[in-house]
């Protein structure tokens, strides 16, 4: 998987890098930094491949085509702290109303049985999946957005035995969210970690990596209950997990 990055457990904050320029030079266009990371919420498949063609931003009503790290990515590898960086560049400052993820036709899944099946993709995806964000991009500030692809809701089984790709994506920014990190023992089997917001009921999930570590991105501020379940049937519950904007809540080792 190209350009797959192992994220370092850290505090997620919005970073500001102020641009130095001659105040008399009014011809310099104000710009803001923008980065987009793709991560995954788990799904019950062996592989889920999506064909990323591009990422666009709508700023002040205009389409901004961004240089994108295009390619076919297995969503089920983007968990346990892994992500792929799709965009990292400067764009015009202004009112960011939408981020659009443009997908190609090379989308497919591999079932647990090993059978590979092409995903039918609606033609509307050619114009981009519209993700509303509504942000006022300030000059000289870098904004980091996280696209969380919810596989279980995005892959829809059809009556004829085929599968349809109807992407469900949760987009957040590190400026308004935190993260939950930890590890699970034993880690000899794949383990799913789900954080449920005690107030809203919203769920955010990820699998542990090959060392038993997990990282839940883009978690809104609040108090959460963590449910941990391994493929072997072992479970654990962690109550009263507090998430603060701009911080990573690091938990003690969870023993199943």
């Amino acid at each position: 998987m190209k350009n797959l990055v192992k994220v370092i457990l850290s505090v997620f904050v919005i970073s500001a890098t102020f641009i130095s320029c001659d105040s008399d030079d009014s011809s310099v266009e104000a710009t803001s930094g923008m980065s987009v990371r793709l991560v995954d919420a788990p799904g019950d498949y062996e592989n889920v491949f999506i064909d990323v063609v591009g990422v666009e931003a709508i700023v002040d009503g205009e389409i901004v085509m961004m240089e994108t790290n295009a390619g076919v990515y297995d969503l089920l590898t983007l968990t346990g702290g892994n992500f792929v960086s799709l965009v990292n560049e400067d764009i015009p400052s202004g009112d960011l109303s939408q981020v659009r993820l443009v997908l190609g036709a090379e989308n497919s899944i591999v079932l647990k049985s090993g059978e590979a099946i092409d995903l039918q993709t609606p033609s509307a995806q050619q114009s981009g999946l519209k993700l509303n964000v509504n942000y006022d991009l300030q000059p000289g500030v870098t904004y980091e957005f996280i696209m969380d692809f919810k596989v279980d809701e995005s892959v829809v089984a059809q009556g004829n035995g085929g599968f349809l790709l109807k992407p469900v994506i949760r987009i957040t920014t590190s400026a308004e969210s935190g993260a939950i990190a930890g590890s699970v023992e034993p880690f000899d089997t794949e383990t799913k970690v789900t954080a449920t917001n005690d107030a809203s009921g919203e769920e955010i999930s990820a699998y542990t990596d090959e060392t038993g570590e997990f990282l839940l991105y883009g978690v809104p501020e609040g108090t959460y209950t963590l449910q941990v379940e391994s493929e072997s049937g072992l479970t654990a519950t962690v109550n009263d997990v507090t998430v603060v904007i701009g911080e990573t809540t690091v938990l003690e080792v969870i023993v199943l």
Side-chain angles (χ1 to χ4, degrees), residues 9-247:
L9 299 183
S10 62
V11 175
F12 289 120
V13 296
I14 192 166
S15 60
T17 306
F18 292 93
I19 300 172
S20 174
C21 62
D22 186 346
S23 60
D24 294 329
D25 186 3
S26 59
S27 64
V28 177
E29 182 181 29
T31 62
S32 304
M34 183 168 177
S35 69
V36 178
R37 294 178 176 184
L38 181 66
V39 300
D40 166 54
D44 192 24
Y45 305 96
E46 193 65 30
N47 307 94
V48 177
F49 296 103
I50 64 164
D51 182 11
V52 177
V53 173
V55 179
E56 303 170 351
I58 309 300
V59 181
D60 292 336
E62 300 292 329
I63 298 177
V64 178
M65 307 287 292
M66 294 185 287
E67 184 175 347
T68 305
N69 182 21
V72 176
Y73 297 102
D74 182 1
L75 291 174
L76 298 188
T77 65
L78 306 181
T79 190
N82 292 322
F83 65 89
V84 64
S85 179
L86 296 180
V87 170
N88 188 13
E89 69 169 279
D90 291 336
I91 65 173
S93 302
D95 179 21
L96 174 67
S97 58
Q98 283 185 350
V99 177
R100 295 178 181 175
L101 178 65
V102 183
L103 299 180
E106 301 300 317
N107 305 292
S108 63
I109 62 171
V110 178
L111 303 180
K112 291 290 187 179
S113 64
E115 181 184 4
I117 302 175
D118 289 337
L119 284 171
Q120 303 173 40
T121 54
S123 58
Q125 291 180 182
Q126 297 174 3
S127 62
L129 304 167
K130 300 174 178 62
L131 307 173
N132 295 324
V133 290
N134 298 316
Y135 254 85
D136 182 16
L137 302 182
Q138 297 297 313
V141 178
T142 295
Y143 297 80
E144 179 184 89
F145 290 91
I146 301 163
M147 289 185 182
D148 190 354
F149 212 112
K150 297 190 172 184
V151 168
D152 272 345
E153 299 178 41
S154 301
V155 178
V156 181
Q158 304 294 288
N160 59 3
F163 289 84
L164 180 68
L165 179 63
K166 298 183 67 175
V168 177
I169 300 174
R170 186 176 65 94
I171 186 167
T172 57
T173 176
S174 57
E176 59 183 19
S177 62
I180 302 173
S183 61
V184 177
E185 292 183 357
F187 53 83
D188 53 343
T189 61
E190 192 171 62
T191 300
K192 183 179 180 180
V193 181
T194 302
T196 303
N197 187 291
D198 291 347
S200 68
E202 179 182 10
E203 293 185 352
I204 301 171
S205 300
Y207 282 117
T208 54
D209 65 9
E210 66 277 1
T211 67
E213 295 183 349
F214 65 89
L215 179 62
L216 300 173
Y217 294 95
V219 183
E221 187 172 46
T223 302
Y224 290 79
T225 298
L226 247 62
Q227 297 289 342
V228 183
E229 183 175 3
S230 71
E231 281 193 333
S232 61
L234 297 175
T235 63
T237 301
V238 181
N239 297 309
D240 300 323
V241 178
T242 302
V243 175
V244 178
I245 291 175
E247 297 184 7

